[in-house]
Amino acid sequence: MTIPLDLAARIERLYTVEHWRVGTIARQLQVHRDTVRRVLRERSAVPPGGALRPSLIEPYRTFILETLQKYPTLTASRLHDMVCERGYAGQASHFRYLVSTMRPRPPAEAFLRLRTLAGEQMQVDWGSFGHLQIGRARRPLMGFVIVLSYSRRSFLRFCLNAQMDSFLRGHVEAFAAFGGLARILLYDNLKSVVLERVGDAIRFNRDFLAFANHFRFEPRPVAIARGNEKGRIERNIDFVRKSFFAGREFTDVADLNAQAREWCEGKAFDRPWPQDDTLTVRQAFATEQPRLLALPAAGYALGQRLEVSVAKTPYVRYDLNDYTVPHTHVRRTLSVLADEQRVRIFDGITELANHPRSFDRHQTIEDPTHVQALVEYKRRARAHRGCDALAQVAPASTELLQMAAQRGYNLGNITAALLRLLDQYGASSLQAALLDAIARDVPHPNAVRLALERARERTGQPPPLPLVLPEHVRLRDAPMRTPSLASYDRHYDKPKDTDHD
């Protein structure tokens, strides 16, 4: 750490002129004692009455310097153990500080000021601006920034992720705002651009290369750990944080982007041009814009594309939410094309669903037509299964249902009622009752039920029990046979007694 010159001068004056002790200087100037000693040692200040007390490390200085020269990255802790084995008695904390002053450092590197031609280069990067809470989801707020290296005109766009779709969409909107693009676009080693890199050997992202080929620009990743090569975008992101985002209020991302566009076209565009403060960025861009590459006539299809599998329920899971598809496409693999507003689902080239996108999580986004179609299908399926079961055991049910359909009756209710009667009375009894109802031209389950009851009474059978009752309840509730009243008729048939005189 560099000690300010004014502070070093005060320390030296207080020590040599005012004869303050090291501890007094450190306490009054609110600095560490080691900082005071370091200043006095570097300035060769001699205390009154003699030199500073020699340090315990002095006998080992040559050994330490030679070891560090041979092993520059050796830790101070290991070096402390080595000198302790050779007789050093000092504390480890003070030893680490002393070693830090002796450790060899590479010479400071000087950089040339990079200048670019008009229309030659753009610099691109992401900036993180915290998080937004949307419902139950906590989404990252990312800022996509592009700056023209010559004129310093910038473009800013916020989104809730740093995925490929948002990355490419930021490019397209920036190119449209600039009315063109530069010949070279400079990037950090983002995964959206570089999948793998070994030295100068770079494996680009395949989707990004297709995008670069469409707009005919050269993508150029900077060298690893060489942030100075893209200093313009780094400074621009810092400028966005301090001049635009700090203390700003907004309702949602759309509102924030509207404010960002206004700021880019206003304050940021009219700031002084760094290369000549007599001009503004707007004026510099006016000279650069004619030199930009023209945009291609054909647009670029944006949107995130991925394959998804549909389980047994007609829903597609995308970005923490579920979206409906027609029930006819369950147990299949479909394609999703999503952007920041819509989620579209395809089977091949056929669009199956088009939903508004949700950035919440664990939400179910349904198309009412999909749900209603599934409900109707289930109802028809239940009716068809019931009709098949009835037709197999009671063939007359088919004719009765046809008659009921002609009169507009609810076939589902009739089928369900006939199935209950089948369970209660059996197949043969139901077949006979159906024929009776058909003969009476009454295609209704009530007519079938009455025919079954009449047949049961004629045969003297007990009424059907819909439930399986315990034995003691079944015996207690057993039907009783109606007793004959013929014995009572004898009392009414006997001749009446006559009175005798």
Side-chain angles (χ1 to χ4, degrees):
M1 181 183 68
T2 304
I3 301 174
L5 293 177
D6 59 339
L7 177 61
R10 292 177 63 188
I11 291 173
E12 184 179 10
R13 185 182 64 82
L14 292 174
Y15 188 82
T16 58
V17 177
E18 304 296 340
H19 307 302
W20 285 14
R21 295 176 180 272
V22 171
T24 303
I25 296 174
R27 187 165 51 255
Q28 296 302 320
L29 298 184
Q30 298 182 351
V31 296
H32 198 274
R33 291 169 180 259
D34 290 342
T35 302
V36 177
R37 293 191 182 98
R38 177 182 170 187
V39 170
L40 296 177
R41 184 174 58 254
E42 290 176 352
R43 290 177 173 250
S44 301
V46 180
L52 292 173
R53 186 180 64 181
S55 173
L56 294 176
I57 205 172
E58 287 303 325
Y60 307 94
R61 182 179 294 275
T62 303
F63 170 76
I64 294 172
L65 291 174
E66 291 177 353
T67 305
L68 289 176
Q69 189 69 29
K70 190 181 297 184
Y71 306 104
T73 60
L74 188 66
T75 63
S77 298
R78 179 68 191 119
L79 197 56
H80 180 258
D81 293 340
M82 294 171 67
V83 295
C84 285
E85 293 173 358
R86 289 163 172 79
Y88 177 71
Q91 295 295 321
S93 58
H94 186 59
F95 179 83
R96 284 195 294 269
Y97 162 72
L98 295 175
V99 168
S100 69
T101 64
M102 291 185 278
R103 190 179 295 277
R105 290 179 173 82
E109 184 179 1
F111 297 96
L112 292 173
R113 177 169 293 179
L114 300 178
R115 296 184 181 275
T116 58
L117 299 175
E120 185 68 17
Q121 185 190 93
M122 284 176 168
Q123 297 185 12
V124 187
D125 206 353
W126 286 106
S128 177
F129 292 84
H131 291 78
L132 289 183
Q133 191 71 32
I134 301 179
R136 293 181 291 178
R138 188 169 182 261
R139 300 279 183 171
L141 181 62
M142 304 298 295
F144 176 84
V145 185
I146 287 185
V147 61
L148 284 163
S149 297
Y150 175 78
S151 66
R152 306 301 206 279
R153 182 179 179 181
S154 60
F155 172 84
L156 172 63
R157 183 178 186 273
F158 291 91
C159 50
L160 297 175
N161 57 57
Q163 297 175 355
M164 180 64 78
D165 173 57
S166 301
F167 188 61
L168 300 184
R169 189 176 299 275
H171 284 77
V172 171
E173 293 190 11
F175 297 163
F178 296 158
L181 66 150
R183 290 166 174 78
I184 299 171
L185 268 67
L186 206 62
Y187 298 91
D188 204 347
N189 291 274
L190 305 169
K191 287 298 182 183
S192 300
V193 178
V194 178
L195 293 180
E196 187 178 4
R197 179 167 188 166
V198 179
D200 293 334
I202 300 173
R203 184 164 68 92
F204 284 95
N205 187 301
R206 188 174 181 178
D207 294 337
F208 179 75
L209 274 185
F211 178 81
N213 290 337
H214 178 82
F215 285 95
R216 303 185 301 279
F217 66 86
E218 177 190 347
R220 183 177 295 177
V222 300
I224 297 175
R226 302 292 290 181
N228 63 294
E229 295 182 6
K230 57 183 185 65
R232 288 175 174 83
I233 190 66
E234 299 291 349
R235 288 192 296 272
N236 200 272
I237 292 176
D238 186 63
F239 178 55
V240 168
R241 295 186 194 281
K242 295 177 180 178
S243 181
F244 171 76
F245 192 75
R248 185 167 296 273
E249 296 182 356
F250 53 91
T251 57
D252 53 19
V253 177
D255 177 40
L256 182 60
N257 279 328
Q259 297 182 45
R261 285 192 297 271
E262 182 179 354
W263 179 79
C264 289
E265 297 296 328
K267 179 179 179 179
F269 209 12
D270 293 323
R271 72 187 190 275
W273 187 36
Q275 291 184 209
D276 184 356
D277 57 7
T278 62
L279 301 176
T280 64
V281 172
R282 187 185 299 272
Q283 292 169 328
F285 175 74
T287 63
E288 182 178 27
Q289 205 281 330
R291 293 178 171 84
L292 297 177
L293 293 177
L295 298 176
Y300 188 82
L302 295 170
Q304 184 181 13
R305 300 170 179 85
L306 69 159
E307 302 294 320
V308 293
S309 297
V310 186
K312 61 183 179 181
T313 56
Y315 292 91
V316 164
R317 172 64 60 86
Y318 172 74
D319 194 21
L320 306 179
N321 297 298
D322 293 330
Y323 299 84
T324 58
V325 296
H327 67 274
T328 54
H329 288 73
V330 297
R331 304 288 190 182
R332 297 177 65 175
T333 299
L334 304 177
S335 300
V336 170
L337 177 61
D339 56 28
E340 295 178 350
Q341 286 77 38
R342 310 295 299 181
V343 174
R344 303 166 65 194
I345 304 169
F346 291 84
D347 181 12
I349 61 173
T350 305
E351 183 176 294
L352 303 177
N354 191 327
H355 299 279
R357 181 169 181 177
S358 172
F359 283 95
D360 202 344
R361 66 173 180 175
H362 303 322
Q363 299 297 305
T364 301
I365 296 89
E366 296 181 336
D367 186 336
T369 59
H370 296 162
V371 178
Q372 185 61 32
L374 177 59
V375 171
E376 293 296 331
Y377 170 76
K378 287 293 186 181
R379 287 176 178 172
R380 290 194 299 270
R382 286 195 296 270
H384 291 324
R385 286 196 298 269
C387 292
D388 292 341
L390 285 172
Q392 291 179 6
V393 298
S397 61
T398 303
E399 184 178 355
L400 184 135
L401 290 172
Q402 290 175 352
M403 295 172 60
Q406 292 175 357
R407 302 186 186 187
Y409 294 162
N410 190 320
L411 298 184
N413 291 341
I414 294 176
T415 302
L418 294 179
L419 288 172
R420 289 193 295 269
L421 294 176
L422 175 63
D423 294 337
Q424 295 172 5
Y425 291 95
S428 59
S429 299
L430 179 62
Q431 173 69 8
L434 288 169
L435 294 174
D436 183 79
I438 293 171
R440 295 174 181 272
D441 196 26
V442 184
H444 198 276
N446 288 342
V448 179
R449 184 179 294 105
L450 288 175
L452 290 169
E453 287 294 324
R454 287 195 297 267
R456 181 188 62 78
E457 291 177 355
R458 285 196 303 269
T459 59
Q461 297 294 324
L465 296 176
L467 299 175
V468 178
L469 300 176
E471 182 67 18
H472 68 281
V473 176
R474 188 180 63 81
L475 294 176
R476 186 181 62 186
D477 294 340
M480 297 182 62
R481 181 175 298 177
T482 304
S484 176
L485 301 179
S487 60
Y488 292 96
D489 293 340
R490 292 196 299 271
H491 297 284
Y492 292 98
D493 293 341
K494 292 176 65 176
K496 296 182 178 179
D497 295 338
T498 57
D499 295 334
H500 297 281
D501 293 336

Short mmCIF file of all heavy atoms in Angstrom, two decimals, residues 182-227:
data_model
loop_
_atom_site.label_atom_id
_atom_site.label_comp_id
_atom_site.label_asym_id
_atom_site.label_seq_id
_atom_site.Cartn_x
_atom_site.Cartn_y
_atom_site.Cartn_z
N ALA A 182 -20.32 -1.98 -35.94
CA ALA A 182 -18.89 -1.91 -36.24
C ALA A 182 -18.42 -3.20 -36.89
O ALA A 182 -19.11 -4.22 -36.89
CB ALA A 182 -18.11 -1.62 -34.96
N ARG A 183 -17.21 -3.16 -37.42
CA ARG A 183 -16.65 -4.34 -38.09
C ARG A 183 -16.14 -5.38 -37.10
O ARG A 183 -16.12 -6.57 -37.39
CB ARG A 183 -15.50 -3.90 -39.01
CG ARG A 183 -15.98 -3.11 -40.21
CD ARG A 183 -14.83 -2.39 -40.92
NE ARG A 183 -15.30 -1.76 -42.15
CZ ARG A 183 -15.98 -0.62 -42.19
NH1 ARG A 183 -16.27 0.01 -41.06
NH2 ARG A 183 -16.38 -0.12 -43.34
N ILE A 184 -15.71 -4.94 -35.94
CA ILE A 184 -15.18 -5.84 -34.91
C ILE A 184 -15.95 -5.61 -33.63
O ILE A 184 -16.15 -4.45 -33.21
CB ILE A 184 -13.68 -5.59 -34.67
CG1 ILE A 184 -12.88 -5.85 -35.94
CG2 ILE A 184 -13.16 -6.45 -33.52
CD1 ILE A 184 -11.43 -5.43 -35.84
N LEU A 185 -16.40 -6.68 -32.99
CA LEU A 185 -17.05 -6.60 -31.69
C LEU A 185 -16.16 -7.30 -30.68
O LEU A 185 -15.82 -8.48 -30.84
CB LEU A 185 -18.44 -7.25 -31.72
CG LEU A 185 -19.60 -6.28 -32.04
CD1 LEU A 185 -19.49 -5.77 -33.46
CD2 LEU A 185 -20.95 -6.93 -31.79
N LEU A 186 -15.78 -6.56 -29.63
CA LEU A 186 -14.84 -7.04 -28.63
C LEU A 186 -15.61 -7.57 -27.42
O LEU A 186 -16.51 -6.88 -26.90
CB LEU A 186 -13.92 -5.90 -28.22
CG LEU A 186 -12.54 -6.26 -27.67
CD1 LEU A 186 -11.72 -6.99 -28.72
CD2 LEU A 186 -11.82 -4.99 -27.23
N TYR A 187 -15.24 -8.77 -26.97
CA TYR A 187 -15.95 -9.42 -25.87
C TYR A 187 -14.97 -9.89 -24.81
O TYR A 187 -13.80 -10.16 -25.11
CB TYR A 187 -16.73 -10.65 -26.36
CG TYR A 187 -17.80 -10.35 -27.37
CD1 TYR A 187 -17.53 -10.37 -28.73
CD2 TYR A 187 -19.10 -10.05 -26.96
CE1 TYR A 187 -18.51 -10.11 -29.66
CE2 TYR A 187 -20.08 -9.78 -27.89
CZ TYR A 187 -19.79 -9.81 -29.24
OH TYR A 187 -20.77 -9.54 -30.15
N ASP A 188 -15.50 -10.03 -23.60
CA ASP A 188 -14.81 -10.82 -22.59
C ASP A 188 -15.05 -12.29 -22.95
O ASP A 188 -15.79 -12.60 -23.89
CB ASP A 188 -15.38 -10.49 -21.21
CG ASP A 188 -14.38 -10.80 -20.11
OD1 ASP A 188 -13.38 -11.48 -20.40
OD2 ASP A 188 -14.61 -10.37 -18.96
N ASN A 189 -14.44 -13.20 -22.21
CA ASN A 189 -14.59 -14.61 -22.55
C ASN A 189 -15.88 -15.17 -21.96
O ASN A 189 -15.87 -16.04 -21.07
CB ASN A 189 -13.36 -15.38 -22.05
CG ASN A 189 -12.13 -15.03 -22.85
OD1 ASN A 189 -11.86 -15.61 -23.89
ND2 ASN A 189 -11.36 -14.06 -22.36
N LEU A 190 -17.03 -14.66 -22.43
CA LEU A 190 -18.34 -15.09 -21.96
C LEU A 190 -18.68 -16.46 -22.54
O LEU A 190 -18.28 -16.79 -23.65
CB LEU A 190 -19.40 -14.08 -22.39
CG LEU A 190 -19.18 -12.62 -21.98
CD1 LEU A 190 -20.18 -11.74 -22.72
CD2 LEU A 190 -19.33 -12.46 -20.49
N LYS A 191 -19.45 -17.25 -21.79
CA LYS A 191 -19.89 -18.54 -22.30
C LYS A 191 -20.82 -18.39 -23.49
O LYS A 191 -20.93 -19.29 -24.32
CB LYS A 191 -20.59 -19.33 -21.19
CG LYS A 191 -19.65 -19.88 -20.13
CD LYS A 191 -18.66 -20.87 -20.72
CE LYS A 191 -17.75 -21.46 -19.67
NZ LYS A 191 -16.74 -22.38 -20.25
N SER A 192 -21.49 -17.26 -23.59
CA SER A 192 -22.35 -17.03 -24.76
C SER A 192 -21.53 -16.84 -26.02
O SER A 192 -22.05 -16.98 -27.13
CB SER A 192 -23.22 -15.79 -24.53
OG SER A 192 -24.06 -15.96 -23.41
N VAL A 193 -20.23 -16.54 -25.87
CA VAL A 193 -19.35 -16.31 -27.01
C VAL A 193 -18.32 -17.42 -27.14
O VAL A 193 -18.16 -18.03 -28.20
CB VAL A 193 -18.66 -14.94 -26.89
CG1 VAL A 193 -17.71 -14.71 -28.05
CG2 VAL A 193 -19.70 -13.83 -26.82
N VAL A 194 -17.60 -17.71 -26.05
CA VAL A 194 -16.49 -18.66 -26.06
C VAL A 194 -16.84 -19.87 -25.21
O VAL A 194 -17.09 -19.74 -24.01
CB VAL A 194 -15.20 -18.00 -25.53
CG1 VAL A 194 -14.07 -19.01 -25.51
CG2 VAL A 194 -14.84 -16.80 -26.37
N LEU A 195 -16.86 -21.04 -25.84
CA LEU A 195 -17.12 -22.26 -25.09
C LEU A 195 -15.84 -22.83 -24.48
O LEU A 195 -15.87 -23.39 -23.38
CB LEU A 195 -17.74 -23.32 -26.01
CG LEU A 195 -19.14 -23.03 -26.53
CD1 LEU A 195 -19.62 -24.16 -27.42
CD2 LEU A 195 -20.12 -22.81 -25.38
N GLU A 196 -14.72 -22.66 -25.17
CA GLU A 196 -13.46 -23.23 -24.69
C GLU A 196 -12.31 -22.43 -25.29
O GLU A 196 -12.38 -21.97 -26.43
CB GLU A 196 -13.35 -24.70 -25.10
CG GLU A 196 -12.17 -25.44 -24.52
CD GLU A 196 -12.16 -26.91 -24.93
OE1 GLU A 196 -13.03 -27.31 -25.73
OE2 GLU A 196 -11.27 -27.64 -24.46
N ARG A 197 -11.27 -22.27 -24.46
CA ARG A 197 -10.12 -21.51 -24.95
C ARG A 197 -8.85 -22.06 -24.35
O ARG A 197 -8.75 -22.28 -23.13
CB ARG A 197 -10.27 -20.03 -24.57
CG ARG A 197 -9.10 -19.18 -25.04
CD ARG A 197 -9.41 -17.71 -24.93
NE ARG A 197 -8.36 -16.90 -25.55
CZ ARG A 197 -8.50 -15.61 -25.84
NH1 ARG A 197 -9.63 -15.00 -25.56
NH2 ARG A 197 -7.52 -14.94 -26.40
N VAL A 198 -7.87 -22.31 -25.21
CA VAL A 198 -6.54 -22.73 -24.78
C VAL A 198 -5.55 -21.81 -25.51
O VAL A 198 -5.29 -21.99 -26.71
CB VAL A 198 -6.25 -24.21 -25.11
CG1 VAL A 198 -4.84 -24.57 -24.66
CG2 VAL A 198 -7.27 -25.11 -24.45
N GLY A 199 -5.05 -20.82 -24.80
CA GLY A 199 -4.17 -19.84 -25.44
C GLY A 199 -4.94 -19.05 -26.49
O GLY A 199 -5.97 -18.45 -26.22
N ASP A 200 -4.44 -19.08 -27.71
CA ASP A 200 -5.11 -18.39 -28.81
C ASP A 200 -6.10 -19.28 -29.55
O ASP A 200 -6.79 -18.82 -30.48
CB ASP A 200 -4.07 -17.86 -29.81
CG ASP A 200 -3.21 -16.76 -29.20
OD1 ASP A 200 -3.71 -16.09 -28.28
OD2 ASP A 200 -2.06 -16.59 -29.64
N ALA A 201 -6.19 -20.55 -29.16
CA ALA A 201 -7.14 -21.47 -29.79
C ALA A 201 -8.50 -21.30 -29.11
O ALA A 201 -8.64 -21.55 -27.91
CB ALA A 201 -6.65 -22.91 -29.66
N ILE A 202 -9.49 -20.88 -29.88
CA ILE A 202 -10.81 -20.54 -29.33
C ILE A 202 -11.87 -21.39 -30.01
O ILE A 202 -11.89 -21.51 -31.24
CB ILE A 202 -11.12 -19.04 -29.55
CG1 ILE A 202 -10.08 -18.18 -28.85
CG2 ILE A 202 -12.52 -18.70 -29.06
CD1 ILE A 202 -10.22 -16.70 -29.15
N ARG A 203 -12.75 -21.96 -29.20
CA ARG A 203 -13.93 -22.65 -29.74
C ARG A 203 -15.15 -21.79 -29.42
O ARG A 203 -15.56 -21.67 -28.28
CB ARG A 203 -14.09 -24.04 -29.12
CG ARG A 203 -15.25 -24.84 -29.73
CD ARG A 203 -15.12 -26.32 -29.39
NE ARG A 203 -15.31 -26.56 -27.98
CZ ARG A 203 -16.50 -26.86 -27.43
NH1 ARG A 203 -17.59 -26.93 -28.18
NH2 ARG A 203 -16.58 -27.09 -26.13
N PHE A 204 -15.72 -21.19 -30.47
CA PHE A 204 -16.84 -20.27 -30.30
C PHE A 204 -18.14 -21.03 -30.09
O PHE A 204 -18.30 -22.18 -30.51
CB PHE A 204 -16.98 -19.36 -31.54
CG PHE A 204 -15.95 -18.27 -31.60
CD1 PHE A 204 -14.79 -18.44 -32.33
CD2 PHE A 204 -16.14 -17.08 -30.93
CE1 PHE A 204 -13.83 -17.43 -32.40
CE2 PHE A 204 -15.20 -16.06 -30.99
CZ PHE A 204 -14.04 -16.25 -31.72
N ASN A 205 -19.09 -20.33 -29.46
CA ASN A 205 -20.45 -20.84 -29.34
C ASN A 205 -21.08 -20.91 -30.73
O ASN A 205 -21.05 -19.94 -31.49
CB ASN A 205 -21.27 -19.93 -28.42
CG ASN A 205 -22.63 -20.48 -28.11
OD1 ASN A 205 -23.44 -20.73 -29.00
ND2 ASN A 205 -22.91 -20.66 -26.84
N ARG A 206 -21.66 -22.05 -31.04
CA ARG A 206 -22.18 -22.28 -32.39
C ARG A 206 -23.31 -21.32 -32.74
O ARG A 206 -23.36 -20.76 -33.84
CB ARG A 206 -22.65 -23.73 -32.50
CG ARG A 206 -23.04 -24.16 -33.88
CD ARG A 206 -23.35 -25.65 -33.91
NE ARG A 206 -23.72 -26.11 -35.23
CZ ARG A 206 -24.01 -27.38 -35.50
NH1 ARG A 206 -23.97 -28.29 -34.53
NH2 ARG A 206 -24.32 -27.73 -36.72
N ASP A 207 -24.23 -21.11 -31.81
CA ASP A 207 -25.34 -20.18 -32.07
C ASP A 207 -24.85 -18.76 -32.26
O ASP A 207 -25.38 -18.01 -33.09
CB ASP A 207 -26.35 -20.25 -30.92
CG ASP A 207 -27.05 -21.59 -30.84
OD1 ASP A 207 -27.10 -22.30 -31.86
OD2 ASP A 207 -27.53 -21.94 -29.74
N PHE A 208 -23.86 -18.38 -31.48
CA PHE A 208 -23.33 -17.03 -31.61
C PHE A 208 -22.61 -16.83 -32.95
O PHE A 208 -22.71 -15.76 -33.56
CB PHE A 208 -22.38 -16.71 -30.46
CG PHE A 208 -21.79 -15.36 -30.53
CD1 PHE A 208 -22.53 -14.23 -30.24
CD2 PHE A 208 -20.48 -15.19 -30.94
CE1 PHE A 208 -21.99 -12.97 -30.33
CE2 PHE A 208 -19.91 -13.93 -31.03
CZ PHE A 208 -20.68 -12.82 -30.72
N LEU A 209 -21.91 -17.87 -33.41
CA LEU A 209 -21.25 -17.75 -34.71
C LEU A 209 -22.27 -17.56 -35.84
O LEU A 209 -22.03 -16.78 -36.77
CB LEU A 209 -20.40 -19.01 -34.98
CG LEU A 209 -18.98 -19.02 -34.43
CD1 LEU A 209 -18.26 -20.27 -34.87
CD2 LEU A 209 -18.22 -17.77 -34.86
N ALA A 210 -23.40 -18.25 -35.75
CA ALA A 210 -24.44 -18.07 -36.75
C ALA A 210 -24.96 -16.63 -36.73
O ALA A 210 -25.23 -16.03 -37.78
CB ALA A 210 -25.58 -19.06 -36.51
N PHE A 211 -25.08 -16.06 -35.54
CA PHE A 211 -25.52 -14.68 -35.41
C PHE A 211 -24.49 -13.72 -36.01
O PHE A 211 -24.83 -12.78 -36.74
CB PHE A 211 -25.75 -14.37 -33.92
CG PHE A 211 -26.16 -12.96 -33.63
CD1 PHE A 211 -27.48 -12.57 -33.79
CD2 PHE A 211 -25.24 -12.02 -33.19
CE1 PHE A 211 -27.87 -11.26 -33.51
CE2 PHE A 211 -25.62 -10.72 -32.91
CZ PHE A 211 -26.94 -10.35 -33.08
N ALA A 212 -23.20 -13.96 -35.71
CA ALA A 212 -22.15 -13.10 -36.26
C ALA A 212 -22.09 -13.18 -37.78
O ALA A 212 -21.88 -12.18 -38.47
CB ALA A 212 -20.80 -13.48 -35.64
N ASN A 213 -22.30 -14.38 -38.32
CA ASN A 213 -22.28 -14.54 -39.78
C ASN A 213 -23.45 -13.79 -40.42
O ASN A 213 -23.33 -13.25 -41.51
CB ASN A 213 -22.35 -16.02 -40.14
CG ASN A 213 -21.06 -16.74 -39.79
OD1 ASN A 213 -20.01 -16.13 -39.68
ND2 ASN A 213 -21.15 -18.04 -39.58
N HIS A 214 -24.59 -13.77 -39.73
CA HIS A 214 -25.75 -13.08 -40.29
C HIS A 214 -25.49 -11.57 -40.41
O HIS A 214 -25.84 -10.94 -41.41
CB HIS A 214 -26.97 -13.34 -39.41
CG HIS A 214 -28.21 -12.65 -39.87
ND1 HIS A 214 -29.02 -13.15 -40.88
CD2 HIS A 214 -28.78 -11.47 -39.49
CE1 HIS A 214 -30.03 -12.32 -41.08
NE2 HIS A 214 -29.91 -11.30 -40.25
N PHE A 215 -24.85 -10.99 -39.37
CA PHE A 215 -24.61 -9.54 -39.37
C PHE A 215 -23.22 -9.18 -39.92
O PHE A 215 -22.88 -7.99 -39.98
CB PHE A 215 -24.77 -8.98 -37.96
CG PHE A 215 -26.21 -8.87 -37.53
CD1 PHE A 215 -26.81 -9.88 -36.79
CD2 PHE A 215 -26.98 -7.77 -37.88
CE1 PHE A 215 -28.13 -9.78 -36.39
CE2 PHE A 215 -28.30 -7.66 -37.48
CZ PHE A 215 -28.88 -8.68 -36.74
N ARG A 216 -22.40 -10.20 -40.26
CA ARG A 216 -21.12 -10.00 -40.94
C ARG A 216 -20.12 -9.18 -40.12
O ARG A 216 -19.41 -8.32 -40.64
CB ARG A 216 -21.34 -9.35 -42.31
CG ARG A 216 -22.27 -10.12 -43.23
CD ARG A 216 -22.32 -9.49 -44.60
NE ARG A 216 -22.78 -8.11 -44.57
CZ ARG A 216 -24.03 -7.74 -44.51
NH1 ARG A 216 -25.00 -8.66 -44.49
NH2 ARG A 216 -24.36 -6.46 -44.50
N PHE A 217 -20.05 -9.43 -38.81
CA PHE A 217 -19.03 -8.79 -38.00
C PHE A 217 -18.05 -9.85 -37.47
O PHE A 217 -18.35 -11.05 -37.47
CB PHE A 217 -19.63 -8.01 -36.83
CG PHE A 217 -20.32 -8.85 -35.79
CD1 PHE A 217 -19.60 -9.43 -34.74
CD2 PHE A 217 -21.70 -9.04 -35.83
CE1 PHE A 217 -20.23 -10.19 -33.77
CE2 PHE A 217 -22.33 -9.81 -34.86
CZ PHE A 217 -21.60 -10.39 -33.83
N GLU A 218 -16.88 -9.39 -37.04
CA GLU A 218 -15.87 -10.30 -36.51
C GLU A 218 -15.92 -10.29 -34.98
O GLU A 218 -15.66 -9.25 -34.35
CB GLU A 218 -14.47 -9.86 -36.96
CG GLU A 218 -13.36 -10.72 -36.37
CD GLU A 218 -11.99 -10.14 -36.62
OE1 GLU A 218 -11.87 -9.22 -37.44
OE2 GLU A 218 -11.03 -10.61 -35.95
N PRO A 219 -16.25 -11.42 -34.35
CA PRO A 219 -16.20 -11.47 -32.88
C PRO A 219 -14.76 -11.66 -32.43
O PRO A 219 -14.04 -12.52 -32.93
CB PRO A 219 -17.07 -12.68 -32.54
CG PRO A 219 -16.98 -13.56 -33.74
CD PRO A 219 -16.78 -12.67 -34.93
N ARG A 220 -14.34 -10.86 -31.46
CA ARG A 220 -12.95 -10.93 -31.02
C ARG A 220 -12.91 -10.94 -29.48
O ARG A 220 -13.06 -9.89 -28.85
CB ARG A 220 -12.14 -9.77 -31.56
CG ARG A 220 -10.67 -9.82 -31.21
CD ARG A 220 -9.93 -8.66 -31.84
NE ARG A 220 -9.93 -8.72 -33.30
CZ ARG A 220 -9.40 -7.80 -34.10
NH1 ARG A 220 -8.83 -6.73 -33.56
NH2 ARG A 220 -9.46 -7.93 -35.41
N PRO A 221 -12.68 -12.10 -28.87
CA PRO A 221 -12.53 -12.14 -27.41
C PRO A 221 -11.17 -11.57 -27.00
O PRO A 221 -10.16 -11.79 -27.67
CB PRO A 221 -12.62 -13.64 -27.07
CG PRO A 221 -13.16 -14.30 -28.30
CD PRO A 221 -12.73 -13.44 -29.45
N VAL A 222 -11.17 -10.82 -25.90
CA VAL A 222 -9.90 -10.27 -25.42
C VAL A 222 -9.07 -11.38 -24.80
O VAL A 222 -9.58 -12.46 -24.46
CB VAL A 222 -10.15 -9.15 -24.39
CG1 VAL A 222 -10.94 -8.03 -25.00
CG2 VAL A 222 -10.84 -9.70 -23.15
N ALA A 223 -7.79 -11.14 -24.67
CA ALA A 223 -6.92 -12.12 -24.02
C ALA A 223 -7.30 -12.29 -22.57
O ALA A 223 -7.86 -11.37 -21.93
CB ALA A 223 -5.46 -11.68 -24.14
N ILE A 224 -7.04 -13.48 -22.02
CA ILE A 224 -7.39 -13.77 -20.63
C ILE A 224 -6.59 -12.85 -19.71
O ILE A 224 -5.40 -12.65 -19.89
CB ILE A 224 -7.12 -15.25 -20.32
CG1 ILE A 224 -8.03 -16.13 -21.19
CG2 ILE A 224 -7.35 -15.54 -18.85
CD1 ILE A 224 -7.76 -17.60 -21.05
N ALA A 225 -7.30 -12.27 -18.71
CA ALA A 225 -6.70 -11.38 -17.71
C ALA A 225 -6.11 -10.12 -18.34
O ALA A 225 -5.13 -9.57 -17.85
CB ALA A 225 -5.64 -12.10 -16.89
N ARG A 226 -6.71 -9.66 -19.44
CA ARG A 226 -6.26 -8.43 -20.09
C ARG A 226 -7.45 -7.47 -20.19
O ARG A 226 -7.91 -7.13 -21.28
CB ARG A 226 -5.67 -8.71 -21.48
CG ARG A 226 -4.49 -9.67 -21.48
CD ARG A 226 -3.27 -9.07 -20.82
NE ARG A 226 -2.68 -8.00 -21.62
CZ ARG A 226 -1.59 -7.34 -21.26
NH1 ARG A 226 -0.99 -7.62 -20.12
NH2 ARG A 226 -1.10 -6.40 -22.04
N GLY A 227 -7.93 -7.06 -19.02
CA GLY A 227 -9.09 -6.18 -19.00
C GLY A 227 -8.82 -4.82 -19.59
O GLY A 227 -9.75 -4.11 -19.98
#
